[in-house]
Amino acid sequence: MPRDVSHFDALERLVDLEHHAQRERLAQDRRTLPLAELEAKGLVLLDVTLEDEAVGLGGRHLLTFRREDKRALRTPLGPGDLVSVSPRKAPIDEPPSGVVSHARRTELTVAFERRPPDWVNEGRLRLDVLANDVTTQRQRGTLASFKGMTSGLARDRREVLLGNQPPRFEKLKPVTTDKPLNPEQLDAVALALAARDVALVHGPPGTGKSTVLAEIARQAVRRGQKVLCTAASNAAVDHLVELCLREGLHAVRVGHPARVSPSLQEHTLDLIVEEHEERRIARELFDEAYDLLGYASKQRSQGRSRSRFANAREAQLEARRLLDEARARERRAVRHVLDGAQVLCATLSMLDGTLLQGQQFDLALVDEATQAVEPLTLAAFTKASTVILAGDPMQLGPTVISERAQKDGLARSLFVRLLEDYGDDVKRLLKEQHRMHEALMRFPSDAMYQGQLRAHPTAAARTLGPLLSKPLDAPPVLFLDTAGKGFDEKAGEGTESLVNEGEVELIDSHVRALLAAGLPAKDLAVITPYRAQAQLLRERLAHAPDVEADTVDAFQGREKEAVLVSLVRSNTAQAVGFLSDLRRMNVALTRARRHLFVVGDSATLSGHEFYARFLEHVHATGAYRSAWEWTEGE
């Protein structure tokens, strides 16, 4: 559908609506919830003390906080979160704020531009989560950039993205590789290498879209191109880093080292720069500058004589000169590392940041493109002349909390919009999946992918049996029907989310049976669409701490040998709520490699066409069991 630049104005309005909704939700929680609930929701961290401090890259002050009793921190803060610090029992009007740079089980490191006042050393403190405006500002900046593209190649790229002229491709050439790629993967690589504007790689679960991106990166580097690998989440970027390193590419990860797995930290920009000679000299200059600033402060505090004022002023001027030189040396070190990389890897929200300012690429590869809002994805098109988007529109899309912004299109990814604009000519579908047993794959393939998926021979007959020490009723797919058992859904305590205690009992029973049969806890996960049910499951499964229990949304992109799913909904109205978003169910049904165990109420589910078909499928394939006859926990 043809569009004009007002499209970017409309997106900016939606970005602002979403940002306002996020801030309103945070403010509402702070107004209405007691401190204990705020801490439970991850919005405040209470009773911490300053444990250590250091100077980091850019002269940032790194302060590490932990509980006095050294217990684990309850609040799930993570790198990139914006927090303020204040005395625990003496709130202040304008507390200093910083960004979480490291998050560990018992301690948290926060980076401040300026060191907070001395009261941080004087007793218990609280850390409050703040609304982060940076991502919103960067999205607005990206949209402004596109509105300003009025001539030349930039305007042509903008017209492609607006749907006004089709993407251009060179003649497709056969791909030569020593990697065992299947025909669809080879075709996707060929399309990407021929693209001059944009191409789409549609990767259903387990079909290796990240592997395809890694091969595209390898081929592009061989051509002498500089490549950007990016995605909406840190986990997806880390996976791309791993794949690029495995291909022998010199990849640098841009972002806080705490955001990456330990095995990748040596490849982060921060840690590479720390070893650079210019950074070593900069550290010495920073230390000298801060000593001078401390001296200047003491001179002022010891009296108001002319000589003390002159000494303080001279020390302060010299400190500023040293700080300027230190930062200049750091910038040179950073630039040297960035310029020397074949592949740079960063989240989409980092692309418009200071570190990558001025960096341009021949090719950008965007994984998880269907999980990012359009204004965020557009940032990749400001950094590279050609962009490849990889994702699956049949899985969950971007998270948008503003109902108005969601209704008006912010939850529709750029991948989906371009597919609607240009059709299959700009897309390649990957069809061979390496994750699921054939029986696991069949219903999702038929229901979501027009029956086009096939299982690789190594996966097609993969069952749970070889992982168990004794026999168990655990076929590839098993649906346990609770109809008539009285396992009604209800609202969770203190929340609008739903729980189903009867399903928790059945899930716990099957977890115990699987573990008793020898399945390692690390190979088992329990997922559910509802947050309250996930919390209830975590509490019930405390006896098996290594068994993951989480929401379907949080588990997207993950896999386990065995996955247990609690659907929760059980009511006389046959209401399925947001289970009607079939992308959520598609995710739930495609996480398991060998065994999928689904608990639900057929009387409720059968009122929806999709679930009625699923019930027909499990009956036809012998995967149906009734809870009335289920004796596993007895």
Side-chain angles (χ1 to χ4, degrees):
M1 180 183 74
R3 300 171 185 84
D4 59 28
V5 292
S6 64
H7 174 72
F8 302 114
D9 292 320
L11 285 176
E12 184 175 351
R13 179 181 62 83
L14 299 182
V15 167
D16 289 342
L17 281 173
E18 174 66 6
H19 183 57
H20 179 72
Q22 292 170 352
R23 294 180 70 90
E24 280 295 304
R25 175 179 288 186
L26 183 59
Q28 174 73 8
D29 286 342
R30 293 202 185 284
R31 285 193 302 267
T32 59
L33 299 179
L35 278 176
E37 284 193 46
L38 287 174
E39 186 169 30
K41 290 193 71 171
L43 300 179
V44 65
L45 183 59
L46 301 172
D47 299 320
V48 296
T49 58
L50 180 63
E51 175 74 13
D52 190 24
E53 58 182 301
V55 177
L57 192 62
R60 295 172 296 177
H61 294 269
L62 303 179
L63 274 60
T64 299
F65 304 94
R66 66 189 307 171
R67 292 187 184 277
E68 286 183 304
D69 56 13
K70 299 184 180 180
R71 288 187 295 115
L73 303 177
R74 290 180 59 195
T75 305
L77 287 167
D81 286 334
L82 188 65
V83 299
S84 66
V85 59
S86 57
R88 170 67 170 90
K89 294 188 176 180
I92 55 180
D93 291 336
E94 295 184 8
S97 62
V99 178
V100 175
S101 62
H102 291 71
R104 292 168 287 276
R105 193 176 68 88
T106 60
E107 61 186 36
L108 200 72
T109 300
V110 182
F112 295 88
E113 292 300 318
R114 295 184 179 83
R115 189 186 186 281
D118 289 341
W119 48 253
V120 294
N121 297 306
E122 300 169 358
R124 290 183 296 167
L125 308 165
R126 61 182 282 173
L127 300 176
D128 287 87
V129 177
L130 304 176
N132 194 337
D133 297 336
V134 173
T135 299
T136 298
Q137 292 168 356
R138 289 177 176 173
Q139 289 182 75
R140 296 186 74 185
T142 296
L143 294 171
S145 296
F146 273 91
K147 286 192 288 186
M149 295 177 181
T150 58
S151 62
L153 294 176
R155 182 184 181 280
D156 290 342
R157 186 183 314 165
R158 187 185 73 180
E159 291 303 298
V160 169
L161 295 175
L162 286 173
N164 298 333
Q165 59 187 50
R168 300 164 298 169
F169 293 89
E170 298 173 357
K171 184 178 179 181
L172 268 65
K173 300 177 181 177
V175 174
T176 302
T177 180
D178 56 355
K179 302 297 178 181
L181 301 183
N182 60 53
E184 293 85 9
Q185 290 175 325
L186 288 170
D187 195 22
V189 173
L191 183 75
L193 295 175
R196 295 178 60 186
D197 304 298
V198 63
L200 310 179
V201 177
H202 182 179
T207 54
K209 61 180 171 58
S210 297
T211 300
V212 168
L213 292 182
E215 179 64 20
I216 295 169
R218 188 172 76 125
Q219 297 273 349
V221 168
R222 281 182 176 178
R223 295 180 172 190
Q225 295 182 322
K226 188 161 186 175
V227 178
L228 170 67
C229 284
T230 183
S233 73
N234 281 294
V237 175
D238 288 346
H239 185 48
L240 290 171
V241 176
E242 290 174 339
L243 290 171
C244 287
L245 293 173
R246 200 177 300 162
E247 297 297 335
L249 303 178
H250 177 34
V252 173
R253 173 70 157 94
V254 180
H256 287 287
R259 293 175 180 171
V260 305
S261 62
S263 63
L264 295 178
Q265 287 187 1
E266 65 183 287
H267 302 285
T268 60
L269 176 65
D270 281 36
L271 295 188
I272 296 172
V273 168
E274 283 295 330
E275 301 299 319
H276 199 280
E277 178 64 15
E278 291 280 18
R279 168 59 179 153
R280 185 190 64 77
I281 297 171
R283 281 198 300 270
E284 296 174 356
L285 293 173
F286 278 124
D287 290 342
E288 188 177 348
Y290 290 129
D291 286 344
L292 285 170
L293 289 174
Y295 170 77
S297 178
K298 288 180 181 178
Q299 287 292 301
R300 290 195 183 93
S301 66
Q302 291 174 358
R304 300 177 64 84
S305 69
R306 181 174 296 179
S307 63
R308 289 188 187 280
F309 179 79
N311 290 340
R313 179 175 174 77
E314 183 179 342
Q316 194 166 25
L317 288 172
E318 177 62 10
R320 288 176 179 171
R321 186 191 69 77
L322 292 174
L323 288 172
D324 287 343
E325 182 181 349
R327 289 179 177 126
R329 286 183 177 275
E330 274 194 344
R331 286 193 294 271
R332 287 199 292 271
V334 169
R335 189 61 52 203
H336 183 265
V337 173
L338 293 178
D339 289 344
Q342 294 173 318
V343 182
L344 290 181
C345 305
T347 58
L348 286 163
S349 61
M350 288 286 295
L351 300 188
D352 199 33
T354 303
L355 284 173
L356 293 179
Q357 198 169 44
Q359 286 279 328
Q360 286 294 312
F361 301 84
D362 302 296
L363 180 67
L365 308 176
V366 184
D367 202 359
E368 287 188 346
T370 50
Q371 296 179 48
V373 295
E374 180 173 333
L376 203 56
T377 308
L378 285 172
F381 292 84
T382 68
K383 308 301 291 184
S385 53
T386 301
V387 178
I388 309 302
L389 304 180
D392 181 9
M394 305 313 296
Q395 297 186 61
L396 288 165
T399 299
V400 176
I401 67 172
S402 166
E403 292 183 7
R404 180 63 182 273
Q406 188 175 86
K407 180 181 177 182
D408 289 353
L410 189 60
R412 182 176 62 164
S413 67
L414 181 61
F415 184 110
V416 169
R417 186 169 68 74
L418 291 176
L419 188 57
E420 292 172 356
D421 284 345
Y422 297 118
D424 290 344
D425 288 346
V426 300
K427 181 198 82 170
R428 290 296 183 268
L429 173 68
L430 306 181
K431 299 179 181 179
E432 185 171 80
Q433 63 85 23
H434 295 249
R435 175 184 299 167
M436 295 170 280
H437 187 283
E438 161 67 27
L440 271 163
M441 178 202 73
R442 182 49 45 209
F443 181 77
S445 176
D446 291 344
M448 308 300 287
Y449 304 103
Q450 296 79 48
Q452 296 184 77
L453 301 189
R454 65 181 184 275
H456 188 272
T458 58
R462 183 190 290 138
T463 64
L464 201 59
L467 303 184
L468 304 180
S469 57
K470 63 180 183 180
L472 185 70
D473 186 10
V477 180
L478 196 158
F479 176 76
L480 186 59
D481 186 6
T482 66
K485 293 289 287 185
F487 292 167
D488 294 340
E489 66 191 55
K490 66 179 182 179
E493 186 175 348
T495 177
E496 295 180 358
S497 186
L498 299 177
V499 298
N500 189 313
E501 295 173 354
E503 289 191 8
V504 170
E505 295 282 342
L506 293 171
I507 290 286
D508 181 40
S509 172
H510 198 49
V511 167
R512 291 176 184 272
L514 287 165
L515 296 178
L519 181 68
K522 66 179 178 60
D523 291 333
L524 174 61
V526 177
I527 59 177
T528 178
Y530 291 91
R531 289 192 305 274
Q533 183 80 339
Q535 180 58 37
L536 193 60
L537 285 163
R538 279 190 286 268
E539 294 170 2
R540 183 60 183 262
L541 298 174
H543 63 85
D546 292 332
V547 174
E548 289 188 65
D550 215 329
T551 62
V552 174
D553 297 45
F555 211 72
Q556 179 161 272
R558 305 277 310 284
E559 63 180 55
K560 289 283 186 177
E561 300 296 344
V563 174
L564 283 54
V565 183
S566 170
L567 295 180
V568 177
R569 301 310 300 251
S570 180
N571 55 75
T572 57
Q574 294 189 312
V576 297
F578 72 178
L579 266 66
S580 60
D581 185 341
L582 302 185
R583 298 173 302 174
R584 181 168 284 106
M585 192 59 180
N586 187 38
V587 171
L589 295 178
T590 55
R591 301 305 96 197
R593 288 161 54 85
R594 299 170 185 262
H595 174 58
L596 173 70
F597 180 80
V598 182
V599 181
D601 180 351
S602 65
T604 298
L605 298 172
S606 61
H608 189 285
E609 180 185 359
F610 175 88
Y611 294 97
R613 281 192 288 148
F614 175 68
L615 292 167
E616 290 176 5
H617 175 80
V618 295
H619 274 287
T621 57
Y624 176 89
R625 306 285 190 280
S626 170
W628 287 98
E629 303 166 352
W630 188 249
T631 59
E632 187 173 63
E634 298 178 0

